[in-house]
Amino acid sequence: LEDDIKYYKLALAREKAARKAAEKILEDKALELYQANNELITSNANLEETLEIRTAQIKETEKMYRHLVESANDIIFQTDINGHFTFVNHTGELITGLTVSEIIGTHYTAFVDEAFHEGMAKLYHNQVENNIESAYFEYKLKTKTEEEIWLGQNTQLIHENNKPIGFLAVSRNITERVKSDNELRRSEEKYKKMFEGAFDGMMRVDVNGNFVEWNSKMIKMLGYTNEELSAMSVQQIIHPDDAEKSKAYFEKLKKEGYYTNYNGRIISKNNRIINVEVNSTATYENGEISGSIDNVRDVSERVTIEDAIIYSEEKYRSILENLELGLLEVDVEENITKVYPSFCAMTGYKKEDLIGKNHSQFLLHPDSPEKMEAQEINRGESEASVYEVQIKKKDGSYTWVIMS
């Protein structure tokens, strides 16, 4: 019995010790759970605060971007994958003349000039089929007011789960640029027509004298092909004897921006020497002279005629000066304009004694004017006549002469 009592006491002691150990474990675990719970509560509170801050930041960013989108000078819009509007900013309203509610849900073709429907459809189709992130297109807008407006549009694909679901586009008003380009193109076309249709040769050269552009008259004048001229400079056609003169005129062009009535010679492909008259106007780029536009007139025929006239005059004067007849030239007022040597030898006067004098008053005998007046009447009626008069020599004496 005593042994049993001792056994039970030991068992009870072991049970109490085990219970205390278990209670200690439970207390420790409860404390850990309590602390973990507190940490979780704190973490959740921090997370909620962070989430609130982040949400506020996102809302503020969204507000800022929306303000930027709405106040942008460009049209910003979205469409679904089929091209129906899902969003448009305020600028879109202003330019189209429609409200947002009138635009949303409408197909993009309602705002594009019909001439550009096919081109824009191909652009969108190609962008989707080839997964092209960004594409650019220019087109004429169809507006409520029928005002002519041109847009330059950048279009981006919108993806969701790696699948294209629509388009985001930014369209800029390029009307002024298009009008300017059209005006420039018309001006260039007008210039080309004038350039090609000129009666004279026309050419444009760069600052080094290289041929840049020329008309058909220039080709005909020089005999070179377009390919040959494109590889040549104007220095290659200038007559060697006119090289320095040409350089001097180019310096005048750089200084004054133009020159006129340059007369020189150029050489054609078949070595024919061509007399030309050139008028040149400088061209500029970024404020610096970049070359010139030149009007080149073939004056070979005129020069030939002028040379023939000069030769004829020289021949005529040579003949007259060697005649033994006393010859004078007078103007319509009877003032002496030229005295030939034979007349000086006959009368004793020097040329300077007679030039500018009235021949009737200075040379004729006082009795001669009446006869001269009668002869003047005959000359006025284109009748030739021969008559005798007295003229005064330098020594004061008179001599009879036959005048015709």
Side-chain angles (χ1 to χ4, degrees), residues 272-327:
R272 182 171 68 93
I273 296 176
I274 306 168
N275 291 280
V276 293
E277 180 179 274
V278 182
N279 295 310
S280 181
T281 302
T283 57
Y284 296 89
E285 188 173 329
N286 299 323
E288 298 291 332
I289 186 168
S290 59
S292 65
I293 296 176
D294 303 316
N295 178 288
V296 184
R297 176 170 294 176
D298 184 346
V299 294
S300 298
E301 185 177 351
R302 187 186 76 190
V303 170
T304 301
I305 293 172
E306 289 175 349
D307 288 345
I309 291 172
I310 292 171
Y311 174 77
S312 177
E313 288 180 346
E314 289 176 349
K315 180 179 178 181
Y316 164 73
R317 292 187 186 280
S318 177
I319 292 171
L320 292 180
E321 286 177 356
N322 288 286
L323 287 176
E324 294 183 0
L325 300 175
L327 297 174

Side-chain angles (χ1 to χ4, degrees), residues 76-79 87 127 154-158 166-170:
I76 301 175
F77 66 88
Q78 288 183 1
T79 71
F87 168 80
Q127 193 170 1
N154 279 302
T155 307
Q156 291 184 326
L157 279 175
I158 302 174
F167 301 93
L168 171 64
V170 178

Side-chain angles (χ1 to χ4, degrees), residues 366-400:
D367 296 337
S368 299
E370 291 183 5
K371 183 180 291 187
M372 287 291 294
E373 287 176 6
Q375 298 302 323
E376 286 292 337
I377 293 173
N378 292 336
R379 280 204 300 272
E381 296 175 356
S382 301
E383 294 182 10
S385 59
V386 178
Y387 51 96
E388 296 179 354
V389 294
Q390 292 186 77
I391 60 172
K392 183 171 63 175
K393 299 168 68 174
K394 186 170 184 178
D395 61 8
S397 63
Y398 286 89
T399 183
W400 285 92

Side-chain angles (χ1 to χ4, degrees), residues 2-64:
E2 289 180 1
D3 290 334
D4 291 338
I5 293 171
K6 185 182 294 186
Y7 172 77
Y8 286 118
K9 284 182 178 180
L10 288 173
L12 181 61
R14 285 196 297 269
E15 185 179 344
K16 286 181 178 179
R19 187 180 293 121
K20 285 182 179 180
E23 288 176 353
K24 176 70 167 112
I25 292 171
L26 288 173
E27 287 177 0
D28 290 343
K29 292 297 181 183
L31 180 60
E32 288 178 10
L33 184 62
Y34 173 77
Q35 290 174 341
N37 185 58
N38 284 341
E39 289 176 0
L40 181 60
I41 291 171
T42 302
S43 177
N44 286 340
N46 290 338
L47 182 60
E48 288 178 2
E49 183 180 358
T50 301
L51 183 60
E52 288 178 1
I53 293 172
R54 184 60 180 156
T55 301
Q57 289 176 339
I58 291 172
K59 287 181 178 179
E60 187 63 30
T61 301
E62 184 180 348
K63 181 181 178 182
M64 180 182 68

Side-chain angles (χ1 to χ4, degrees), residues 56-211:
Q57 289 176 339
I58 291 172
K59 287 181 178 179
E60 187 63 30
T61 301
E62 184 180 348
K63 181 181 178 182
M64 180 182 68
Y65 281 117
R66 182 169 290 277
H67 174 72
L68 288 174
V69 169
E70 291 296 337
S71 61
N73 292 324
D74 299 328
I75 300 175
I76 301 175
F77 66 88
Q78 288 183 1
T79 71
D80 60 24
I81 198 65
N82 296 315
H84 295 93
F85 283 90
T86 58
F87 168 80
V88 65
N89 68 347
H90 181 59
T91 304
E93 291 182 289
L94 295 176
I95 293 181
T96 62
L98 299 172
T99 64
V100 170
S101 60
E102 290 175 307
I103 297 173
I104 298 300
T106 306
H107 196 262
Y108 74 86
T109 53
F111 304 97
V112 178
D113 188 276
E114 291 181 2
F116 299 90
H117 282 190
E118 184 178 351
M120 186 168 280
K122 287 181 179 179
L123 178 84
Y124 286 152
H125 178 75
N126 182 58
Q127 193 170 1
V128 173
E129 286 294 312
N130 297 290
N131 198 29
I132 299 171
E133 286 299 318
S134 181
Y136 182 78
F137 191 71
E138 294 182 356
Y139 61 95
K140 184 179 177 182
L141 186 68
K142 188 189 296 182
T143 66
K144 189 175 182 179
T145 60
E146 298 186 357
E147 180 184 359
E148 182 177 332
I149 296 176
W150 286 80
L151 298 178
Q153 180 173 301
N154 279 302
T155 307
Q156 291 184 326
L157 279 175
I158 302 174
H159 292 89
E160 188 175 285
N161 298 324
N162 296 322
K163 181 181 177 182
I165 62 168
F167 301 93
L168 171 64
V170 178
S171 297
R172 176 159 295 179
N173 190 335
I174 59 170
T175 305
E176 291 305 315
R177 197 211 74 197
V178 170
K179 287 181 178 179
S180 178
D181 288 347
N182 289 339
E183 186 63 32
L184 178 60
R185 184 168 57 254
R186 285 191 291 268
S187 178
E188 288 177 345
E189 289 173 355
K190 181 179 179 181
Y191 159 76
K192 287 181 178 179
K193 287 179 180 178
M194 293 176 62
F195 193 84
E196 183 56 38
F199 287 105
D200 301 322
M202 297 291 295
M203 65 182 185
R204 184 163 64 89
V205 298
D206 64 21
V207 71
N208 296 313
N210 299 309
F211 283 97

